[in-house]
């Protein structure tokens, strides 16, 4: 079955049809710039553009950068404040005319890694952390998702962790890999203390440079890079779209 996966990011919105049995894209992905300001109306228009590009009529899964409960946005730190309280699910359905499932973007990436990537067949507690514009998180216990964890906002030295250790902060402050790794190490130590995970998966934009900074990090638990690269959000969003697809089929 093919489902259109859309990944909404702070700088870009990407989408492509995905075969959810294999995790493979069925067409080349389309990327559009995240509008500024990233209001609900403007982001919905971008989502509509992607759906129209693929002439899409089936189910759609959308990864959203914030807490999403029952399709409604609770937080949207890296988008516009107008998102808070908005039913993203209803908004995207109206824009595309399709059945839509909306999930947290890091949860979507985690679903992809657990099904097709570094977390496949792993039991116990698996923590995915995405280092990009911010720090996203997805927690799995014996393969089951604990949604909307948002561990990038835990406090480290009086600041949200993503304001100290995100990949964007590394670039902004022109930190070398070793110096940035010390910040990441401090954050990971905190997460290990809080959660005692069996495995930590490093994803997001920093995953492609994993070998450059991982050599400076020592942890009492296993740490490995994500395998799905920048397609994880699209693939995971499509996997989340299975839920709305099942509901649609049940109604027929």
């Amino acid at each position: 079955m093919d489902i259109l996966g859309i990944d909404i990011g702070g700088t870009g919105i990407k989408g492509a049809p995905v075969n959810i049995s294999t995790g493979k894209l069925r067409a080349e992905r389309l990327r559009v710039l995240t509008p500024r300001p990233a209001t609900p109306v403007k982001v919905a228009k971008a989502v509509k553009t992607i759906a129209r590009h693929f002439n899409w009529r089936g189910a759609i899964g959308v990864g959203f950068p914030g807490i999403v409960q029952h399709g409604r946005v609770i937080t949207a730190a890296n988008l516009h404040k107008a998102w808070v309280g908005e039913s993203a699910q209803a908004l995207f359905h109206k824009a595309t005319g399709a059945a839509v499932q909306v999930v947290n973007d890091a949860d979507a990436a985690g679903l992809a890694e657990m099904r097709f990537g570094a977390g496949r067949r792993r039991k116990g507690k698996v923590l995915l952390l995405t280092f990009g514009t911010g720090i996203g998180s997805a927690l799995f216990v014996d393969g089951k998702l604990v949604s909307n964890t948002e561990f990038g906002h835990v406090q480290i030295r009086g600041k949200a962790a993503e304001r100290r250790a995100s990949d964007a902060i590394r670039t902004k402050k022109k930190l070398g890999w070793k110096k940035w790794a010390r910040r990441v190490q401090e954050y990971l130590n905190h997460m290990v203390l809080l959660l005692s995970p069996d495995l930590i998966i490093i994803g997001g934009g920093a995953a492609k440079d994993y070998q450059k900074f991982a050599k400076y990090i020592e942890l009492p638990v296993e740490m490995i890079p994500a395998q799905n690269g920048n397609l994880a959000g699209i693939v995971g969003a499509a996997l989340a779209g299975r839920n709305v697809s099942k509901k649609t089929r049940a109604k027929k």
Side-chain angles (χ1 to χ4, degrees):
M1 175 187 294
D2 293 350
I3 293 177
L4 181 62
I6 297 177
D7 181 22
I8 297 175
T11 57
I13 300 174
K14 302 162 288 188
V18 179
N19 182 321
I20 62 171
S21 296
T22 64
K24 302 297 183 183
L25 270 56
R26 301 284 284 175
E28 185 176 351
R29 71 168 188 164
L30 174 67
R31 183 183 187 274
V32 299
L33 292 176
T34 301
R36 288 289 181 265
T39 61
V41 171
K42 289 185 177 181
V43 172
K45 185 177 180 180
V47 168
K48 180 179 180 179
T49 295
I50 292 174
R52 278 189 170 180
H53 174 81
F54 295 106
N55 194 27
W56 199 255
R57 296 291 182 270
I60 299 174
V62 179
F64 184 89
I67 294 175
V68 181
Q69 291 182 336
H70 310 295
R72 189 172 298 277
V73 175
I74 307 301
T75 66
N78 294 317
L79 293 182
H80 194 278
K81 62 182 181 180
W83 274 106
V84 177
E86 180 74 51
S87 175
Q89 208 149 283
L91 184 67
F92 295 148
H93 166 68
K94 182 177 180 181
T96 63
V100 179
Q101 181 77 28
V102 183
V103 297
N104 172 268
D105 58 346
D107 286 347
L111 290 171
E113 285 301 317
M114 294 300 289
R115 177 72 182 274
F116 301 113
R120 190 178 183 187
R121 299 193 182 96
R122 299 298 293 257
K123 298 295 183 182
K125 277 184 281 187
V126 177
L127 175 63
L128 170 80
L129 295 169
T130 60
F131 291 82
T133 303
I135 298 176
S137 62
L139 179 65
F140 294 82
V141 180
D142 290 331
K144 301 294 184 181
L145 173 66
V146 181
S147 62
N148 292 311
T149 48
E150 290 289 302
F151 290 133
H153 297 294
V154 301
Q155 294 287 302
I156 303 290
R157 301 192 184 209
K159 290 183 178 180
E162 66 181 18
R163 293 180 61 192
R164 283 186 49 81
S166 70
D167 195 43
I169 288 295
R170 177 189 65 79
T171 301
K172 180 180 179 180
K173 293 187 175 293
K174 299 179 180 179
L175 299 175
W177 292 112
K178 188 173 183 178
K179 190 170 183 178
W180 182 64
R182 286 201 294 267
R183 295 187 176 207
V184 175
Q185 172 87 64
E186 184 179 32
Y187 171 59
L188 294 179
N189 286 344
H190 193 66
M191 299 314 301
V192 169
L193 181 64
L194 285 175
L195 300 172
S196 299
D198 298 288
L199 173 67
I200 295 176
I201 301 173
I202 302 297
K208 67 182 182 300
D209 295 307
Y210 181 82
Q211 300 302 330
K212 296 178 181 178
F213 65 86
K215 60 186 176 183
Y216 300 117
I217 295 175
E218 294 184 7
L219 294 173
V221 301
E222 184 182 4
M223 183 180 80
I224 58 177
Q227 295 178 3
N228 284 283
N230 59 8
L231 298 181
I234 294 174
V235 174
L239 287 172
R242 289 178 302 179
N243 295 329
V244 71
S245 180
K246 289 176 182 176
K247 293 175 185 176
T248 302
R249 291 200 304 271
K251 290 179 181 178
K252 291 182 178 179

